[in-house]
Amino acid sequence: MKRSHSIAKVRNIGIMAHIDAGKTTTTERILFYTGVVHRLGEVHHGTAVMDYMEQERERGITITSAATTCYWHDHQINIIDTPGHVDFTAEVQRSLRVLDGAVALFCAVGGVEPQSETVWRQAEGYKVPRIAYVNKMDRIGANFYNVLGMMKERLGANPVAVQLPIGASEDFTGIVDLIRQKAYVFNEESQGAVVEETEIPSGLQSKVDEYRGYLIDAAAECDDTLLEKYLEEGDLKEEEILQGLRTGTVNAAITPVFCGSSFKNKGVQQLLDGIVEFLPSPDQVGPVQGFSLKEKQESRKPEDDESVSALSFKILTDQYVGKLTFVRVYSGVLSSGKTVLNANTGKKERIGRLLKMHANHREDVDNVYSGEIAAVVGFKGARTGDTLCDPKHPILLEEITFSAPVIDQAIEPRTRDDQDKLEHALRSLADEDPTFQYHVDDETGQTIISGVGELHLEILVDRMKREFKVGVNVGKPQVSYRETIAGTAKREGKFERQAAGKGQFGHVIVEVKPNTRGTGITFENSISESDVPPQFYAPIEQGAREATFNGPVGGYQGIDIHIRAVGGSYHEADASETAYRIAANMAVREAMREAQPILLEPMFDVEIVTPDEHLGDVIGDLNTRHGKIENIESRDVVQVIHAFVPLSEMFGYVTKLRSMTQGRASYTMKFARYEQAVNMPTGVFT
């Protein structure tokens, strides 16, 4: 069976933005206008197709990225709708890793908000071409031109307006297409399906001329041939402008900017045109780079007759079909019933079924072609970031890295029957979500779950109860502290035992000193072979690193410490790997105690948007929470406060902020760094 569309007519895109910018509403309108659904779903009514989880519909937010496929002007568009809340940034990150282009949504009132910056930087890291869509032009305070300025200032972007709005807030009636020099007005009675072409309003003509000049300049600068013609003739044809803008977008040199109001059904069809015209197809992105199993650099072209290479970017547990592995096929064809190699584990996996996903609905297919996205049923050991490839021509693609958890919570089953179900639920959720971890505390025996935020853990616990039918009790969220050292120390560890006539001997001398923040644990071996034979070096490093798992202050994990093994001694008859591992462990533990150990706590970058009259109350409250205010900026009628605040002081902050400001203020926060703890947590003694 051949592919239904040539690869040149395939677009793999993501829709990314700050929370509540209108991502899901925009996706719902896209599905409506492309004929995938026949009635409009609304987030606030809990009827959005892409928000299919119960938790999403109850809260009115996107929690997990959802994939769907639609068709527009004979092009196949594979869309991933991503979350906007900072607790679910990993969903955005793994989606961007496998996408060829993205639509960055900005609220016409809020402009470039904190999470907008985060996802923009992620897209830059993966070199994903973007177009921008300024949504909510119907809202009071909407300012299209202000958003263009914020994109330049905050993102360092090169925005190029391809449309201008006709009016704003309740006077927003349509858009002007700067490329074709036509105005379009949307018929609200037809839910935006009827678009009337009209002349450009006379009061807007000077603005149109100004911004069309910027547009043509940008198109010409992206293509040397066009630039030469433009300098000679002073103008470009419509198809030449499109060619220049497309080249600039694919090379991430410019960002074409559209505008509209998705909720009011205005501007979405033109956004679809922009996706087709400006964002790249898989063959334009070029070959994917990777390494052979011998660490030799290799590449795979996005062609169906190439060897198969695909990346697993999401795991989902489905109550009907079991474990679903979402994959992006970079080359070759995945076929149902065939066997592929997991290059990360070295094990072969059989493809049971192949599914094209539409949110939580599925369509069976026999083949998935290069450049396409689908879900696989039947993989047992695949994890997020694993490479799946032809066993005869293996390749290892770049993995996806995620933020470490910063918040812990104790959890326990309510009954004995819930014990086994809890283990299954935890394992399944950890497979799905790389930012979720769990372990059993060695001292207390408690099961500890870890995530990136309060909402993150709240959602996961709710899923355990609803999806996995597990009765659980949870403790209050706890901050995930870390430990490090401020000084240097040199200590020795000696392990000597006699048991059943067999001796155990290990002797190691180590030095510890602080590492640059963010470097982690590093180990250096300076032991002379005359003191300790080389076969014991690996156990010494293992024991030294294990010693940092539980620091001397409160038993928290150690970070940013450099360990140097400098000496030791050897007993020919009794020396053993186990003894040297234990001796190194003892030496590092003792050295850390003597090297001025300190407790570190996670600091969060907090942005608070508050009306002028509540600014003093909000600042005063931040001071009581040991917050460090970086700056305060005015944005129309509100003040925006940027501060760094310890995570331990932010629990329950949303309730306090709402009560101080009559519910008019909002805030967002993201992990910034670890700093020395201001207050010792209860039960921790130096």
Side-chain angles (χ1 to χ4, degrees):
M1 177 181 172
K2 293 185 178 180
R3 62 162 70 236
S4 57
H5 287 75
S6 71
I7 195 169
K9 292 193 173 184
V10 174
R11 301 289 184 272
N12 293 311
I13 68 159
I15 299 185
M16 61 184 201
H18 186 86
I19 190 170
D20 202 32
K23 296 177 303 300
T24 301
T25 299
T26 301
T27 308
E28 295 294 320
R29 297 312 187 262
I30 288 174
L31 298 182
F32 177 73
Y33 294 124
T34 56
V36 175
V37 298
H38 302 290
R39 65 179 181 85
L40 291 173
E42 303 292 0
V43 174
H44 56 282
H45 290 159
T47 58
V49 174
M50 301 300 280
D51 283 351
Y52 60 87
M53 292 173 62
E54 291 181 35
Q55 294 87 347
E56 293 178 314
R57 295 186 168 181
E58 288 173 357
R59 291 168 171 81
I61 62 171
T62 301
I63 292 168
T64 184
S65 52
T68 190
T69 299
C70 61
Y71 298 88
W72 184 253
H73 296 338
D74 201 33
H75 284 70
Q76 176 182 328
I77 304 176
N78 302 315
I79 304 174
I80 296 182
D81 175 32
T82 62
H85 196 285
V86 66
D87 282 14
F88 309 106
T89 303
E91 289 287 333
V92 185
Q93 194 162 343
R94 58 180 167 192
S95 299
L96 287 171
R97 171 65 177 83
V98 298
L99 294 173
D100 301 321
V103 178
L105 255 70
F106 300 99
C107 173
V109 181
V112 178
E113 298 171 280
Q115 191 64 5
S116 308
E117 294 186 59
T118 301
V119 296
W120 187 272
R121 304 298 177 211
Q122 288 175 326
E124 281 193 336
Y126 289 121
K127 297 182 174 64
V128 177
R130 281 142 281 168
I131 63 176
Y133 177 62
V134 180
N135 190 25
K136 301 192 177 184
M137 283 301 304
D138 60 305
R139 293 273 296 274
I140 295 173
N143 190 329
F144 176 77
Y145 305 99
N146 182 51
V147 178
L148 292 178
M150 293 181 74
M151 288 180 67
K152 292 178 184 176
E153 180 185 341
R154 290 198 172 190
L155 303 178
N158 185 11
V160 177
V162 295
Q163 297 175 345
L164 294 184
I166 301 175
S169 65
E170 57 190 29
D171 297 324
F172 175 64
T173 56
I175 58 171
V176 174
D177 186 327
L178 296 176
I179 299 173
R180 297 167 181 88
Q181 299 190 81
K182 293 289 184 181
Y184 298 96
V185 176
F186 301 91
N187 186 313
E188 294 192 22
E189 292 181 2
S190 67
Q191 294 183 311
V194 176
V195 184
E196 301 170 9
E197 184 179 304
T198 66
E199 294 302 314
I200 298 171
S202 57
L204 201 57
Q205 189 63 55
S206 61
K207 206 94 171 174
V208 169
D209 293 340
E210 177 189 355
Y211 277 86
R212 191 170 193 273
Y214 299 151
L215 174 75
I216 296 175
D217 287 347
E221 289 172 1
C222 293
D223 188 302
D224 291 340
T225 305
L226 294 179
L227 181 59
E228 187 176 332
K229 180 184 177 183
Y230 179 53
L231 292 174
E232 289 178 0
E233 301 180 12
D235 201 1
L236 296 175
K237 296 177 182 177
E238 179 183 314
E239 59 269 21
E240 291 171 333
I241 296 173
L242 289 170
Q243 176 190 330
L245 294 177
R246 182 174 177 81
T247 300
T249 306
V250 171
N251 294 333
I254 62 169
T255 305
V257 184
F258 297 75
C259 63
S261 169
S262 298
F263 181 60
K264 293 293 180 67
N265 312 308
K266 297 175 181 178
V268 177
Q269 296 99 317
Q270 286 71 24
L271 176 63
L272 278 164
D273 290 339
I275 290 170
V276 168
E277 288 172 340
F278 300 129
L279 291 178
S281 57
D283 60 333
Q284 276 193 303
V285 175
V288 64
Q289 303 297 321
F291 291 89
S292 69
L293 299 188
K294 295 181 180 180
E295 297 188 359
K296 179 184 177 183
Q297 189 162 1
E298 292 195 6
S299 63
R300 295 282 188 273
K301 296 178 182 177
E303 298 173 357
D304 295 343
D305 54 3
E306 270 269 23
S307 301
V308 171
S309 67
L311 189 74
S312 160
F313 69 94
K314 181 179 172 70
I315 307 295
L316 184 66
T317 303
D318 188 284
Q319 59 179 326
Y320 299 109
V321 297
K323 185 177 178 181
L324 288 174
T325 304
F326 284 73
V327 297
R328 158 71 191 266
V329 181
Y330 284 97
S331 64
V333 181
L334 279 183
S335 300
S336 181
K338 294 293 181 67
T339 298
V340 292
L341 173 71
N342 185 327
N344 296 78
T345 64
K347 296 180 180 179
K348 292 182 179 180
E349 298 264 19
R350 185 179 180 277
I351 301 171
R353 293 165 60 193
L354 289 169
L355 305 173
K356 282 287 182 73
M357 300 298 293
H358 176 50
N360 62 334
H361 300 292
R362 300 168 292 275
E363 173 194 350
D364 279 274
V365 294
D366 295 324
N367 303 290
V368 181
Y369 299 92
S370 56
E372 295 187 337
I373 292 171
V376 182
V377 180
F379 288 166
K380 296 179 181 178
R383 302 162 303 168
T384 298
D386 282 358
T387 301
L388 307 161
C389 58
D390 184 342
K392 295 180 181 178
H393 303 93
I395 187 172
L396 186 64
L397 305 179
E398 180 188 354
E399 292 192 43
I400 311 172
T401 56
F402 297 98
S403 301
V406 296
I407 187 168
D408 297 338
Q409 199 169 29
I411 189 169
E412 62 181 21
R414 287 181 181 164
T415 66
R416 184 168 294 180
D417 291 339
D418 290 322
Q419 179 65 55
D420 293 336
K421 289 194 288 185
L422 176 61
E423 175 62 30
H424 170 68
L426 291 171
R427 191 165 54 246
S428 298
L429 291 173
D431 282 343
E432 288 185 22
D433 188 347
T435 61
F436 171 67
Q437 298 175 7
Y438 69 96
H439 70 279
V440 177
D441 189 281
D442 292 335
E443 295 183 6
T444 65
Q446 286 183 305
T447 298
I448 307 297
I449 57 176
S450 306
V452 296
E454 283 184 275
L455 180 62
H456 185 213
L457 291 183
E458 180 186 329
I459 295 294
L460 290 169
V461 170
D462 193 43
R463 288 187 62 195
M464 288 181 210
K465 295 175 180 177
R466 296 193 192 192
E467 294 177 29
F468 297 93
K469 312 298 182 189
V470 184
V472 292
N473 296 319
V474 294
K476 291 183 179 180
Q478 300 291 321
V479 177
S480 184
Y481 290 92
R482 295 288 186 267
E483 296 186 29
T484 191
I485 55 176
T488 60
K490 181 178 180 180
R491 289 291 181 273
E492 67 175 349
K494 182 176 285 189
F495 182 80
E496 293 181 278
R497 291 287 188 277
Q498 288 288 331
K502 174 65 177 174
Q504 294 274 351
F505 178 86
H507 177 218
V508 181
I509 303 170
V510 301
E511 291 179 349
V512 296
K513 65 178 182 179
N515 248 346
T516 305
R517 191 71 72 238
T519 310
I521 304 295
T522 55
F523 179 84
E524 177 187 355
N525 182 20
S526 299
I527 301 176
S528 169
E529 292 185 13
S530 60
D531 293 332
V532 179
Q535 66 261 35
F536 298 111
Y537 292 169
I540 288 172
E541 179 175 354
Q542 181 186 355
R545 290 185 178 274
E546 287 174 354
T548 65
F549 293 171
N550 302 101
V553 179
Y556 299 103
Q557 182 179 335
I559 60 171
D560 303 333
I561 300 171
H562 180 72
I563 305 168
R564 180 168 170 256
V566 296
S569 60
Y570 172 66
H571 190 288
E572 187 172 354
D574 295 339
S576 71
E577 292 185 358
T578 301
Y580 276 100
R581 180 172 61 82
I582 296 172
N585 191 294
M586 294 165 58
V588 172
R589 285 181 180 275
E590 186 62 33
M592 286 174 62
R593 284 193 193 94
E594 300 298 322
Q596 302 173 43
I598 56 175
L599 190 70
L600 302 175
E601 63 181 344
M603 297 291 290
F604 271 63
D605 185 356
V606 181
E607 181 176 286
I608 304 162
V609 181
T610 178
D612 289 337
E613 57 265 38
H614 300 294
L615 180 63
D617 292 334
V618 174
I619 291 176
D621 182 69
L622 282 175
N623 289 331
T624 66
R625 297 173 185 270
H626 306 289
K628 300 174 183 176
I629 296 173
E630 295 293 297
N631 63 68
I632 302 170
E633 63 175 289
S634 295
R635 191 184 299 168
D636 293 331
V637 295
V638 298
Q639 299 290 327
V640 183
I641 305 168
H642 297 269
F644 290 100
V645 189
L647 176 61
S648 58
E649 301 287 350
M650 291 301 292
F651 293 128
Y653 182 63
V654 63
T655 304
K656 177 68 172 176
L657 183 65
R658 286 172 181 167
S659 66
M660 282 190 298
T661 62
Q662 287 92 51
R664 296 174 62 195
S666 63
Y667 81 100
T668 55
M669 54 188 275
K670 61 182 178 182
F671 173 71
R673 58 180 179 267
Y674 278 96
E675 285 188 4
Q676 186 167 356
V678 178
N679 293 322
M680 277 291 193
T682 305
V684 177
F685 302 94
T686 51

Short mmCIF file of all heavy atoms in Angstrom, two decimals, residues 317-336:
data_model
loop_
_atom_site.label_atom_id
_atom_site.label_comp_id
_atom_site.label_asym_id
_atom_site.label_seq_id
_atom_site.Cartn_x
_atom_site.Cartn_y
_atom_site.Cartn_z
N THR A 317 -0.64 4.53 28.56
CA THR A 317 -1.35 3.32 28.94
C THR A 317 -2.82 3.47 28.60
O THR A 317 -3.50 4.35 29.13
CB THR A 317 -1.19 3.04 30.45
OG1 THR A 317 0.21 2.95 30.76
CG2 THR A 317 -1.86 1.73 30.83
N ASP A 318 -3.30 2.64 27.69
CA ASP A 318 -4.69 2.70 27.24
C ASP A 318 -5.46 1.53 27.85
O ASP A 318 -4.99 0.38 27.80
CB ASP A 318 -4.75 2.63 25.71
CG ASP A 318 -6.14 2.87 25.16
OD1 ASP A 318 -6.97 1.94 25.25
OD2 ASP A 318 -6.40 3.97 24.66
N GLN A 319 -6.63 1.81 28.41
CA GLN A 319 -7.38 0.76 29.11
C GLN A 319 -7.91 -0.31 28.15
O GLN A 319 -8.28 -1.40 28.59
CB GLN A 319 -8.54 1.36 29.90
CG GLN A 319 -9.53 2.15 29.05
CD GLN A 319 -10.67 2.71 29.87
OE1 GLN A 319 -11.10 2.08 30.84
NE2 GLN A 319 -11.16 3.89 29.52
N TYR A 320 -7.95 -0.02 26.85
CA TYR A 320 -8.49 -0.98 25.90
C TYR A 320 -7.41 -1.77 25.17
O TYR A 320 -7.55 -2.98 24.96
CB TYR A 320 -9.37 -0.27 24.87
CG TYR A 320 -10.56 0.43 25.50
CD1 TYR A 320 -10.61 1.82 25.56
CD2 TYR A 320 -11.62 -0.30 26.04
CE1 TYR A 320 -11.69 2.47 26.15
CE2 TYR A 320 -12.70 0.34 26.63
CZ TYR A 320 -12.73 1.72 26.69
OH TYR A 320 -13.80 2.35 27.28
N VAL A 321 -6.32 -1.11 24.77
CA VAL A 321 -5.31 -1.82 23.98
C VAL A 321 -3.99 -2.00 24.72
O VAL A 321 -3.08 -2.64 24.21
CB VAL A 321 -5.05 -1.08 22.64
CG1 VAL A 321 -6.29 -1.05 21.79
CG2 VAL A 321 -4.52 0.34 22.88
N GLY A 322 -3.88 -1.47 25.92
CA GLY A 322 -2.65 -1.63 26.70
C GLY A 322 -1.67 -0.50 26.46
O GLY A 322 -2.06 0.66 26.34
N LYS A 323 -0.40 -0.84 26.34
CA LYS A 323 0.65 0.16 26.25
C LYS A 323 0.79 0.66 24.81
O LYS A 323 1.03 -0.11 23.89
CB LYS A 323 1.97 -0.45 26.73
CG LYS A 323 3.13 0.52 26.81
CD LYS A 323 4.35 -0.21 27.36
CE LYS A 323 5.57 0.69 27.42
NZ LYS A 323 6.75 -0.02 27.93
N LEU A 324 0.64 1.97 24.63
CA LEU A 324 0.82 2.60 23.33
C LEU A 324 2.16 3.35 23.32
O LEU A 324 2.46 4.09 24.24
CB LEU A 324 -0.30 3.61 23.05
CG LEU A 324 -1.70 3.07 22.74
CD1 LEU A 324 -2.68 4.22 22.64
CD2 LEU A 324 -1.68 2.29 21.44
N THR A 325 2.94 3.13 22.28
CA THR A 325 4.20 3.84 22.11
C THR A 325 4.08 4.77 20.91
O THR A 325 3.94 4.30 19.77
CB THR A 325 5.36 2.85 21.89
OG1 THR A 325 5.40 1.92 22.98
CG2 THR A 325 6.69 3.59 21.81
N PHE A 326 4.10 6.08 21.15
CA PHE A 326 4.02 7.05 20.05
C PHE A 326 5.40 7.18 19.42
O PHE A 326 6.40 7.36 20.13
CB PHE A 326 3.56 8.41 20.57
CG PHE A 326 2.10 8.49 20.88
CD1 PHE A 326 1.57 7.85 22.00
CD2 PHE A 326 1.24 9.19 20.06
CE1 PHE A 326 0.21 7.92 22.29
CE2 PHE A 326 -0.11 9.27 20.33
CZ PHE A 326 -0.63 8.63 21.45
N VAL A 327 5.45 7.11 18.09
CA VAL A 327 6.72 7.17 17.39
C VAL A 327 6.65 8.17 16.23
O VAL A 327 5.59 8.37 15.64
CB VAL A 327 7.15 5.79 16.83
CG1 VAL A 327 7.38 4.80 17.95
CG2 VAL A 327 6.13 5.25 15.83
N ARG A 328 7.78 8.78 15.96
CA ARG A 328 7.95 9.58 14.74
C ARG A 328 8.88 8.78 13.84
O ARG A 328 10.01 8.44 14.24
CB ARG A 328 8.55 10.95 15.08
CG ARG A 328 9.26 11.64 13.91
CD ARG A 328 8.30 12.14 12.84
NE ARG A 328 9.02 12.56 11.64
CZ ARG A 328 9.42 13.80 11.39
NH1 ARG A 328 9.16 14.75 12.26
NH2 ARG A 328 10.04 14.08 10.27
N VAL A 329 8.41 8.48 12.63
CA VAL A 329 9.22 7.73 11.67
C VAL A 329 10.05 8.73 10.86
O VAL A 329 9.50 9.60 10.19
CB VAL A 329 8.34 6.88 10.73
CG1 VAL A 329 9.21 6.09 9.76
CG2 VAL A 329 7.46 5.93 11.54
N TYR A 330 11.36 8.60 10.93
CA TYR A 330 12.25 9.52 10.21
C TYR A 330 12.64 8.98 8.84
O TYR A 330 12.88 9.75 7.91
CB TYR A 330 13.51 9.78 11.03
CG TYR A 330 13.27 10.74 12.17
CD1 TYR A 330 13.04 10.27 13.46
CD2 TYR A 330 13.25 12.11 11.97
CE1 TYR A 330 12.80 11.15 14.50
CE2 TYR A 330 13.01 12.99 13.00
CZ TYR A 330 12.79 12.51 14.27
OH TYR A 330 12.55 13.39 15.30
N SER A 331 12.72 7.66 8.70
CA SER A 331 13.08 7.07 7.41
C SER A 331 12.49 5.67 7.32
O SER A 331 12.20 5.03 8.33
CB SER A 331 14.60 7.01 7.25
OG SER A 331 15.17 6.14 8.22
N GLY A 332 12.30 5.20 6.07
CA GLY A 332 11.75 3.88 5.87
C GLY A 332 10.27 3.80 6.17
O GLY A 332 9.58 4.82 6.29
N VAL A 333 9.78 2.57 6.30
CA VAL A 333 8.36 2.33 6.54
C VAL A 333 8.21 1.34 7.69
O VAL A 333 8.82 0.26 7.68
CB VAL A 333 7.66 1.76 5.29
CG1 VAL A 333 6.18 1.54 5.55
CG2 VAL A 333 7.85 2.68 4.09
N LEU A 334 7.42 1.70 8.70
CA LEU A 334 7.07 0.76 9.77
C LEU A 334 5.85 -0.03 9.31
O LEU A 334 4.86 0.56 8.88
CB LEU A 334 6.72 1.50 11.06
CG LEU A 334 7.84 1.98 11.97
CD1 LEU A 334 7.24 2.61 13.22
CD2 LEU A 334 8.77 0.86 12.37
N SER A 335 5.92 -1.35 9.41
CA SER A 335 4.81 -2.20 8.96
C SER A 335 4.36 -3.10 10.09
O SER A 335 5.18 -3.63 10.86
CB SER A 335 5.23 -3.05 7.76
OG SER A 335 5.62 -2.22 6.69
N SER A 336 3.05 -3.28 10.19
CA SER A 336 2.48 -4.15 11.22
C SER A 336 3.00 -5.57 11.06
O SER A 336 3.07 -6.11 9.94
CB SER A 336 0.96 -4.12 11.11
OG SER A 336 0.38 -4.92 12.10
#
